[in-house]
Amino acid sequence: GGWSAVLQVPSFESEESFVLDLLSSDSVLVHPGYFFDFPRESFLVLSLLVAEASFALGLDLILRRFVTASARHD
């Protein structure tokens, strides 16, 4: 258990690929939705038990990836 936020994200790649790349490239750790038995892809689970500044930085890094990916797919 714990305090978590669920973020639904665009499906530019699999959850697993996304979270592994996010961890290795940006040192941001989130869980893919399939860890929590979501019925389909495109969910990330973020802990709310981190310092506010760390959460804000991690969320910013996540959102930047989707802005960049969206621009490539247009």
Side-chain angles (χ1 to χ4, degrees), residues 22-63:
L22 189 63
L23 180 59
S24 65
S25 298
D26 296 320
S27 299
V28 175
L29 176 62
V30 298
H31 298 291
Y34 72 82
F35 278 13
F36 298 86
D37 295 324
F38 281 88
R40 57 184 169 81
E41 292 252 336
S42 300
F43 291 95
L44 304 176
V45 179
L46 293 67
S47 173
L48 296 175
L49 299 176
V50 297
E52 185 178 343
S54 295
F55 183 86
L57 176 60
L59 186 58
D60 185 57
L61 290 167
I62 291 167
L63 296 177

Side-chain angles (χ1 to χ4, degrees), residues 12 65-74:
F12 295 128
R65 286 173 168 259
F66 291 108
V67 169
T68 303
S70 178
R72 283 192 304 239
H73 286 83
D74 285 342

